[in-house]
Amino acid sequence: MLILGIESSCDETAASVVRDGVEVLSNVIASQDELHVEYGGVVPEIASRAHVERIQPVIEKALEGADVSLEDIDALACGSQPGLIGSLLVGVAAAKTLAWALDKPIIGVDHVHAHLYAGLLERERPQFPALGLVVSGGHTSLYLCRSMLEIERLGATIDDAVGEAYDKAASMLGIEFPGGPKIDRMAASGDDRAHDFPVSRLAPDSLDFSFSGLKTSVLYTIRGAPKRANGRVEFERDETELSETEKNDIAASFQRAACRAVLLKLQRAFDHLAERGVICRSLLVGGGVSANSRLRTELQGFADERDLDLRLPGMRYCLDNAAMIAGLACEKLRAGVADDLSLRAVPTTRF
Ligand code: KG4
Ligand code: ZN
């Protein structure tokens, strides 16, 4: 079964052809980073306009790369939720148009759910039940996956997503958006014990995450304690007064705390499931922050200690891509789940 997947939920325009849910024949991603960098974040209107310009060439390139024609495609898939509505609409409209013109099935896929699938690409099937972790720019959530289609959310962030915290910490250090990958590189040359940033635990049995305290602590470390003067909040200094070494130390200490927060809740979720009599066999991880070097090492340690089959996506499938969309769509289609031309783009996730 050949599925053409389309992804346009945020600022990446992507298309991919995947055979039988696992064999990735092409994986084309057109990033828009350069269009948003001067604004310090994704500007929805700019993103949707760029998707309109890029979607057709990206689809053509994906077909070409897979050495197939549109007629060879068995079904169309698109990320239909969650995301920026103007961005989602472009991918959904493209997939619906092709499904209508080719008279082929269409499957709308939840982007967060698809991140969990990314570690199944180009690999043998994992065993279930599995513990699931999505760490991206928009989501930080834990799941019990009884199968790839039976997913129960165990916890989620109550404020920022971990990727968002990375990007905001980077911005406080004067680094261009998206700063997550740059913090990862700076941390390699920094002392991760230089600062003892807070790791939120929330209630003792909570499986939710919170990153706002960590973010505020990083801000005060960089700029000093805030003071109110003339009705305004003023800081003692700004990031330009920090040396490279000081910045690297903050990046490394931030990263230690952020990873600690993720691992802590993962551990709690594993124990909580064991108490419910659910013994997980695998750990499915996805989302942009699963590209983080420290998190990858810590997750490997966690999985090894508990004899879990760790499904960390290859680097090209960590960030937003359409292969994970096509892969999950195949799973759904095999289970008899498909949509029709009434498929709509929805800004919120079902997961
Ligand atoms: O999954 P993704 O591409 O988009 C969403 O669905 O949100 O994730 C993007 C996020 C951004 O916040 C980016 O800074 C972060 O993933 N990211 C990283 C790394 N690579 C990407 N964060 C930490 N370390 C990295 N190496
Ligand atoms: Zn994503």
Side-chain angles (χ1 to χ4, degrees), residues 34-298:
E34 78 288 357
L35 299 179
H36 303 284
V37 68
E38 67 176 292
Y39 305 101
V42 177
V43 183
E45 184 61 24
I46 295 178
S48 42
R49 281 167 189 257
H51 283 306
V52 172
E53 286 166 11
R54 293 161 192 221
I55 193 91
Q56 209 166 329
V58 163
I59 291 172
E60 277 164 14
K61 214 166 154 197
L63 292 168
E64 230 173 81
D67 200 18
V68 299
S69 71
L70 269 181
E71 289 67 37
D72 301 322
I73 297 295
D74 296 303
L76 283 302
C78 58
S80 55
Q81 63 185 107
L84 301 169
I85 191 71
S87 290
L88 285 168
L89 277 169
V90 179
V92 171
K96 278 162 78 167
T97 307
L98 289 172
W100 175 75
L102 301 166
D103 195 20
K104 295 282 161 81
I106 179 165
I107 306 108
V109 165
D110 186 288
H111 178 96
V112 180
H113 190 187
H115 271 309
L116 281 177
Y117 188 91
L120 273 64
L121 292 166
E122 289 171 337
R123 304 272 306 267
E124 74 288 2
R125 258 193 115 58
Q127 287 189 3
F128 291 92
L131 194 53
L133 169 71
V134 173
V135 277
S136 72
H139 296 85
T140 304
S141 312
L142 282 164
Y143 304 90
L144 164 61
C145 312
R146 293 190 184 277
S147 74
M148 215 45 243
L149 300 181
E150 285 167 280
I151 312 262
E152 178 191 335
R153 192 171 82 184
L154 303 171
T157 182
I158 58 167
D159 41 54
D160 287 358
V162 60
E164 203 177 345
Y166 261 92
D167 294 337
K168 286 181 180 163
S171 150
M172 291 175 209
L173 287 168
I175 298 162
E176 281 183 346
F177 176 86
K182 186 81 194 295
I183 293 258
D184 194 357
R185 287 195 292 276
M186 288 164 69
S189 335
D191 172 8
D192 69 358
R193 302 272 160 183
H195 305 278
D196 200 12
F197 290 133
V199 175
S200 89
R201 285 167 171 77
L202 301 175
D205 59 347
S206 171
L207 299 180
D208 290 331
F209 299 87
S210 167
F211 291 97
S212 62
L214 169 59
K215 208 177 60 182
T216 307
S217 187
V218 171
L219 178 70
Y220 290 178
T221 301
I222 295 171
R223 307 196 59 187
K227 288 194 202 74
R228 225 169 232 293
N230 309 322
R232 289 177 48 206
V233 175
E234 284 177 4
F235 289 93
E236 290 167 15
R237 52 181 182 269
D238 68 28
E239 80 286 352
T240 55
E241 292 164 50
L242 295 176
S243 68
E244 280 309 301
T245 308
E246 285 168 327
K247 286 186 181 179
N248 291 345
D249 287 350
I250 291 173
S253 304
F254 164 83
Q255 178 151 287
R256 177 167 69 92
C259 292
R260 185 78 211 100
V262 173
L263 267 291
L264 189 92
K265 296 302 161 69
L266 200 58
Q267 160 94 57
R268 270 191 197 170
F270 184 83
D271 294 346
H272 164 88
L273 289 174
E275 277 165 28
R276 278 170 58 184
V278 182
I279 305 302
C280 289
R281 305 300 176 112
S282 316
L283 172 56
L284 314 181
V285 185
V289 185
S290 61
N292 183 264
S293 56
R294 180 170 187 144
L295 188 62
R296 290 176 85 87
T297 307
E298 293 195 5

